[in-house]
Amino acid sequence: MLDKGLSVGEAQAAFSNINRLSGGIASFLGKVRDDGETQALELTHYAPLTEPAIRELAQEALSRFALDGVLVWHRIGVMTRGQPIVLVMAAAPHRRAAFDAVDFLMDHLKSASWLWKREKRGGTWEWIEPRAEDRLDLSRWT
Amino acid sequence: MLDKGLSVGEAQAAFSNINRLSGGIASFLGKVRDDGETQALELTHYAPLTEPAIRELAQEALSRFALDGVLVWHRIGVMTRGQPIVLVMAAAPHRRAAFDAVDFLMDHLKSASWLWKREKRGGTWEWIEPRAEDRLDLSRWT
Amino acid sequence: MVRIVYLGKFADWAGRDEEEFEAPLDWEGLAQRVEPRIAEELRGDRAHISLDGVVLADKQALSAKDGSEVALLPPVSGG
Amino acid sequence: MVRIVYLGKFADWAGRDEEEFEAPLDWEGLAQRVEPRIAEELRGDRAHISLDGVVLADKQALSAKDGSEVALLPPVSGG
């Protein structure tokens, strides 16, 4: 969980370098989309829950797929459109394992994420309730 | 088709920047694996066949999936272990489309690729015949 | 003392991010001391309580001792 | 003239990457002028010929005119 901007390029380069002898690296970068209304969004988390949950999720991916390594990054704090929210990478000897691991991590990241979001529209911050949010999230990630 | 080292980081950053308002970017980076024997490999292509074929493949991905953009890079020339061979990226509003496009491009890249490979083992270059190669390729990418 | 951590909109409603209640603290004690609308939402299914980093399956079984941290978790918005 | 391009091991066998043959050039003319083992492999299923960037479905239908480029493609090794 990072409260500053993800340096996506640096992370990708570092991960690729650490896993330089892996056959392949799959990755997914999720960004704040432009819905034409939202000026900014803020994600708050509760570290005692999110950090072990994400570590455990990464561990589960490592045990479930034949991987050389995984990376799971999630932004918290205030973000604007175009900025990265999530970066997931998996290095593996085989493409299929790398792909499936990234997919698995993305699918399960939400259930591991104790995150509260508010969005700024027309200058006003509003907390996003899950009902409306489910739809928004699905359209962002799925 | 690139006859120099892929600057993977720069390509990823540039692609991400061009598609900065896309919801997500999926990517796959395939690298030369270390099989303990091969000192180097060289890929030769025939540009009048590979270039239109890869462009056409990218075009097909764009028309088949709801994408904002794709990138398909393939190294040719001499490479050593750990070096990138192929980089495929897809930007899309939805994760599933981005993922499926990268998968599709990787699956079809070989059939679009008129590539001849030789490998250096024990100081000697040897051309790789497809029978042995199929197995090697499967283990590299699949 | 038991540290109470307010997350998301609960922090707005409480007007603070955290405060301390006297130990020991059980569900009834908590519900009485927090803002009424926080207590009300905590009675629903979608809000949760964690005790020292563990989300409680049964909120009413809360039993916080001196030095514990109780986090009040509004419905999550996803990531 | 027709430009002949040798790919992969054919370049090794021919001792060059390309050369020119007189136009027009058909399958028989080609098979006679290239190295015997190249001609032999070209008769098999896994080697191909392209004419001006188009892979021929039927190699024996080759009909290259002045200015054409004929590429001799050994079995591909994949990527």
Side-chain angles (χ1 to χ4, degrees):
Chain A
M1 307 302 277
L2 301 165
D3 60 4
K4 286 180 296 192
L6 286 177
S7 172
V8 171
E10 280 174 36
Q12 286 176 325
F15 186 79
S16 180
N17 194 45
I18 289 165
N19 296 286
R20 64 187 295 277
L21 298 182
S22 290
I25 294 176
S27 74
F28 183 77
L29 172 66
K31 297 189 289 182
V32 180
R33 288 209 291 164
D34 182 11
D35 66 0
E37 287 178 51
T38 307
Q39 297 160 305
L41 67 85
E42 183 179 21
L43 289 176
T44 314
H45 76 141
Y46 179 52
L49 293 181
T50 49
E51 287 175 358
I54 287 180
R55 256 195 297 279
E56 203 174 292
L57 180 61
Q59 210 54 53
E60 177 155 356
L62 285 168
S63 65
R64 186 184 279 244
F65 305 99
L67 302 177
D68 297 326
V70 296
L71 177 151
V72 180
W73 271 16
H74 202 301
R75 254 309 290 282
I76 50 172
V78 177
M79 287 156 267
T80 55
R81 61 186 189 171
Q83 290 191 323
I85 300 179
V86 63
L87 174 64
V88 169
M89 299 182 77
H94 304 289
R95 169 162 64 108
R96 185 51 43 214
F99 254 75
D100 288 351
V102 173
D103 227 10
F104 170 86
L105 288 164
M106 289 297 302
D107 280 343
H108 291 81
L109 196 51
K110 270 197 270 183
S111 57
S113 302
W114 289 85
L115 290 167
W116 296 275
K117 180 185 313 190
R118 48 181 202 158
E119 292 183 352
K120 192 180 189 178
R121 295 157 190 262
T124 307
W125 283 102
E126 266 178 49
W127 289 101
I128 304 300
E129 292 293 318
R131 193 178 298 270
E133 192 47 25
D134 281 348
R135 205 173 34 79
L136 287 175
D137 269 349
L138 284 172
S139 70
R140 175 173 304 113
W141 275 1
T142 313
Chain B
M1 306 302 277
L2 300 165
D3 60 3
K4 286 180 296 190
L6 287 178
S7 172
V8 171
E10 280 174 36
Q12 286 176 325
F15 186 79
S16 179
N17 194 45
I18 289 166
N19 296 286
R20 63 188 297 275
L21 298 182
S22 290
I25 294 178
S27 73
F28 183 77
L29 172 65
K31 297 189 289 182
V32 180
R33 286 210 292 163
D34 181 11
D35 65 2
E37 288 178 49
T38 308
Q39 300 161 303
L41 67 85
E42 182 179 23
L43 289 176
T44 314
H45 77 140
Y46 179 52
L49 294 181
T50 51
E51 287 176 356
I54 286 180
R55 255 194 298 277
E56 204 174 294
L57 180 61
Q59 209 53 54
E60 175 153 359
L62 285 169
S63 64
R64 185 184 279 243
F65 305 99
L67 303 177
D68 296 326
V70 295
L71 176 151
V72 181
W73 271 15
H74 203 302
R75 255 307 292 281
I76 52 172
V78 176
M79 285 156 269
T80 56
R81 63 186 187 169
Q83 290 190 324
I85 300 179
V86 63
L87 174 64
V88 169
M89 299 181 79
H94 303 290
R95 170 162 63 109
R96 185 51 43 215
F99 254 75
D100 289 350
V102 172
D103 227 11
F104 170 86
L105 288 163
M106 289 297 302
D107 281 342
H108 291 81
L109 196 51
K110 269 196 269 185
S111 58
S113 301
W114 290 86
L115 290 167
W116 296 275
K117 179 185 315 191
R118 49 181 203 157
E119 292 183 351
K120 193 179 188 178
R121 295 157 190 261
T124 308
W125 283 103
E126 264 179 50
W127 289 101
I128 304 300
E129 291 294 317
R131 193 177 298 268
E133 192 46 26
D134 281 349
R135 206 171 37 78
L136 287 175
D137 268 347
L138 284 173
S139 71
R140 177 171 302 113
W141 275 1
T142 312
Chain C
M1 303 298 275
V2 174
R3 180 148 63 154
I4 307 298
V5 179
Y6 296 101
L7 277 305
K9 66 183 181 189
F10 288 171
D12 285 356
W13 292 359
R16 69 197 74 191
D17 291 334
E18 44 184 80
E19 66 184 310
E20 298 207 318
F21 289 167
E22 265 178 41
L25 183 74
D26 64 5
W27 164 258
E28 285 305 324
L30 178 73
Q32 279 163 24
R33 278 178 234 178
V34 297
E35 285 285 314
R37 56 179 175 166
I38 295 179
E40 188 188 329
E41 185 133 352
L42 283 174
R43 286 191 190 93
D45 284 341
R46 303 190 309 171
H48 295 86
I49 294 175
S50 75
L51 173 61
D52 295 328
V54 176
V55 179
L56 300 180
D58 177 4
K59 286 173 272 194
Q60 307 207 351
L62 175 67
S63 171
K65 296 181 175 48
D66 188 46
S68 288
E69 179 167 305
V70 171
L72 308 185
L73 316 165
V76 293
S77 320
Chain D
M1 303 297 274
V2 174
R3 179 148 62 157
I4 307 297
V5 179
Y6 296 102
L7 277 305
K9 66 183 180 189
F10 288 172
D12 285 357
W13 291 359
R16 68 197 75 190
D17 291 332
E18 45 183 82
E19 65 183 309
E20 297 206 319
F21 289 166
E22 264 177 41
L25 184 73
D26 64 6
W27 164 258
E28 286 304 324
L30 177 73
Q32 278 164 23
R33 278 177 235 179
V34 297
E35 284 286 313
R37 55 179 175 167
I38 295 178
E40 189 188 330
E41 186 133 351
L42 283 175
R43 285 190 190 94
D45 284 342
R46 302 190 309 170
H48 294 87
I49 294 174
S50 75
L51 173 61
D52 295 328
V54 177
V55 179
L56 300 180
D58 177 5
K59 287 173 270 197
Q60 306 206 353
L62 175 68
S63 171
K65 295 181 174 50
D66 189 45
S68 290
E69 179 166 305
V70 171
L72 308 185
L73 314 164
V76 294
S77 320

